[in-house]
């Protein structure tokens, strides 16, 4: 029997009886369980086989479907794996692609613009001035990629993982003689680093007067005002000593008919007509005062701009 309560001989006897009954009637044996010869040798089990095989109804109170209970956890686990995969894709794969796309060493560098102040002497004669400014350079740690070499780790040296660092650099700016106030100079490849590097544009603010306000600029000409002319004799010319922008002293002849406001001229000692050119304007010396010394030394007569109304 199913519960192994009888010897094997009993099993064979019960099986032969069931077969005999089936063939005798030529049909399936149906009816109450008591009318069918029992394979259990008259001993009924406490629980039927059907009851043992049938699963419990999930709708019964106090019972839960194990598949239903684990489905929520499975979904959450699946969502977690999906989120991790998505984060890996966005952070690592796409991040690496962006790092390659933003390679600062392979992009053109931006231009830089600065301003320098120069004296009148430098603007006229030319010279050099130092300049310190901020320039973006390719990060030496990540070589412009924004990430450490052969990794996806963000570089903590460069600015905002952009592959560049900001540095203070110093250059020497050459000022050509004759540059005008507001003129611009270009220093090749001195802008931000890249491929190619940017340019550095320097705007020049040139002073209009030299130290002491003795010499001023008027276009391509230089002007020295308030020159004093002394006449020893009334009908004879005289001379005055003047100084040029180069620092040279010279003597200019003052005609007898000179008046306050008369300009004495030295040609070719002004400002270059083109930056760095050789052709220059003139240097004018304007008489601001005339002193007459009468014969006999009895006194002197002075003429200045206020008395004559000159400029």
């Amino acid at each position: 029997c199913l519960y192994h309560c009888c010897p094997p001989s009993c099993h064979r006897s019960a099986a032969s009886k069931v077969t005999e009954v089936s063939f005798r009637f030529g049909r399936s044996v149906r009816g109450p369980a008591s009318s069918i010869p029992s394979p259990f040798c008259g001993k009924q089990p406490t629980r039927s086989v059907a009851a043992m095989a049938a699963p419990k109804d999930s709708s019964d109170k106090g019972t839960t479907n194990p598949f239903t209970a684990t489905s929520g956890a499975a979904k959450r686990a699946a969502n977690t794996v999906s989120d991790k995969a998505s984060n890996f894709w966005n952070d690592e794969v796409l991040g690496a692609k962006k790092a390659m796309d933003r390679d600062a060493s392979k992009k053109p560098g931006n231009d830089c613009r600065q301003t320098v102040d120069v004296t009148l002497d430098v603007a006229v004669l030319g010279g050099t001035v130092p300049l310190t400014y901020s320039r973006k350079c390719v990060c030496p740690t990540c070589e412009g990629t924004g990430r450490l070499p052969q990794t996806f780790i963000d570089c903590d040296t460069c600015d905002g993982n952009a592959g560049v660092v900001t540095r203070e650099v110093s250059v020497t700016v050459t000022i050509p003689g004759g540059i005008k106030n507001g003129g611009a100079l270009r220093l090749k490849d001195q802008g931000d680093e890249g491929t190619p590097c940017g340019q550095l544009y320097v705007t020049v603010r040139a002073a209009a007067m030299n130290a002491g306000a003795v010499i001023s600029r008027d276009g391509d000409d230089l002007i020295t005002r308030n020159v004093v002319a002394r006449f020893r004799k009334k009908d004879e010319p005289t001379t005055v000593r003047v100084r040029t922008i180069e620092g040279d002293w010279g003597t200019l002849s003052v005609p007898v008919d000179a008046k306050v406001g008369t300009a004495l001229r030295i040609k070719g000692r002004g400002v270059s007509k083109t930056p760095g050119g050789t052709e220059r304007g003139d240097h004018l010396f304007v008489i601001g005062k005339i002193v007459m010394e009468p014969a006999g030394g009895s006194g002197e007569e002075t003429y200045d701009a206020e008395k004559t109304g000159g400029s």
Side-chain angles (χ1 to χ4, degrees):
C1 68
L2 297 178
Y3 288 92
H4 306 285
C5 59
C6 302
S9 60
C10 177
H11 296 181
R12 291 192 295 271
S13 176
S16 62
K17 290 181 181 180
V18 173
T19 305
E20 187 180 46
V21 172
S22 300
F23 282 99
R24 182 181 298 175
F25 290 96
R27 60 185 179 84
S28 299
V29 179
R30 295 182 181 181
S34 59
S35 63
I36 304 175
S38 174
F40 297 99
C41 305
K43 295 182 180 181
Q44 297 293 334
T46 58
R47 183 180 179 186
S48 66
V49 177
M52 292 174 56
K56 291 184 179 181
D57 187 1
S58 60
S59 63
D60 293 344
K61 294 182 179 180
T63 62
T64 58
N65 189 337
F67 296 99
T68 303
T70 58
S71 63
K75 289 181 179 179
R76 289 192 294 272
N79 291 336
T80 301
V81 173
S82 177
D83 292 341
K84 289 183 177 180
S86 178
N87 293 338
F88 177 82
W89 179 265
N90 293 331
D91 297 342
E92 305 301 334
V93 179
L94 295 183
K97 183 178 183 302
K98 291 179 180 178
M100 291 186 291
D101 292 343
R102 68 172 177 242
D103 191 343
S105 64
K106 298 180 181 179
K107 294 183 178 180
N110 294 325
D111 296 334
C112 297
R113 299 184 182 277
Q114 296 294 322
T115 302
V116 294
D117 296 320
V118 299
T119 63
L120 178 63
D121 302 60
V122 173
V124 174
L125 304 176
T128 58
V129 293
L131 172 64
T132 301
Y133 66 102
S134 297
R135 180 190 189 192
K136 292 187 180 298
C137 304
V138 176
C139 178
T141 302
C142 65
E143 298 179 350
T145 62
R147 299 203 171 194
L148 298 181
Q150 299 181 352
T151 68
F152 293 152
I153 302 175
D154 291 340
C155 178
D156 56 359
T157 303
C158 54
D159 303 335
N161 307 126
V164 295
V165 292
T166 302
R167 290 181 175 177
E168 294 291 321
V169 295
S170 298
V171 296
T172 300
V173 182
T174 300
I175 307 297
I179 192 168
K180 294 180 173 55
N181 181 40
L185 302 174
R186 180 175 68 92
L187 278 68
K188 186 178 180 181
D189 296 338
Q190 295 299 318
D192 293 343
E193 287 188 350
T195 306
C197 294
Q199 311 303 313
L200 173 61
Y201 292 94
V202 180
T203 300
V204 178
R205 290 187 300 202
M209 295 183 178
N210 70 338
V214 177
I215 303 174
S216 61
R217 180 175 180 174
D218 184 11
D220 296 334
D221 295 332
L222 296 176
I223 300 177
T224 299
R225 302 181 185 276
N226 299 323
V227 175
V228 178
R230 293 180 176 273
F231 286 91
R232 306 293 181 184
K233 296 181 180 180
K234 188 173 183 179
D235 297 331
E236 293 182 4
T238 188
T239 58
V240 293
R241 284 186 53 83
V242 295
R243 187 178 182 182
T244 63
I245 190 71
E246 291 86 353
D248 300 330
W249 287 93
T251 300
L252 289 179
S253 177
V254 182
V256 175
D257 58 349
K259 299 178 181 179
V260 173
T262 300
L264 309 177
R265 185 184 305 266
I266 301 179
K267 292 185 176 182
R269 286 299 186 97
V271 184
S272 297
K273 296 186 177 181
T274 57
T278 57
E279 185 179 1
R280 300 173 58 178
D282 301 334
H283 193 158
L284 306 178
F285 297 85
V286 181
I287 297 176
K289 180 183 291 189
I290 295 177
V291 178
M292 304 295 296
E293 296 180 352
S298 58
E300 64 182 24
E301 187 175 357
T302 303
Y303 301 89
D304 55 23
E306 294 182 357
K307 288 185 178 181
T308 60
S311 57

